[in-house]
Amino acid sequence: MADHGASPELDKLRRRYADLGAAIDGLVGRVAASSSTTEAVLSAELGRARKELASIARRLKDLSGE
């Protein structure tokens, strides 16, 4: 039987996953067009965003039962 209480959490995680994906795309574009100093800062942010995205993907997989 499905856990109906998980649905709002799944929806929230899916939205966060999509938002982070868009943010990562934006950061990649900025890194490509940036100075070396800016690139160092943006690269660190990109690394954190990718880690969070991976964490959300694992959580979505767990909650969806895949």
Side-chain angles (χ1 to χ4, degrees):
M1 184 180 280
D3 180 7
H4 298 291
S7 183
E9 185 175 358
L10 280 171
D11 291 341
K12 181 179 174 183
L13 285 170
R14 286 182 181 124
R15 281 191 303 275
R16 183 67 178 141
Y17 186 85
D19 290 346
L20 274 172
I24 286 171
D25 288 343
L27 282 170
V28 168
R30 287 186 189 106
V31 166
S34 66
S35 69
S36 60
T37 302
T38 304
E39 183 177 343
V41 172
L42 291 176
S43 292
E45 288 297 317
L46 183 56
R48 283 192 285 279
R50 284 182 171 151
K51 286 179 184 176
E52 186 177 349
L53 193 61
S55 173
I56 290 170
R58 284 190 301 273
R59 183 76 174 129
L60 279 170
K61 185 177 179 181
D62 290 345
L63 288 172
S64 66
E66 293 179 7

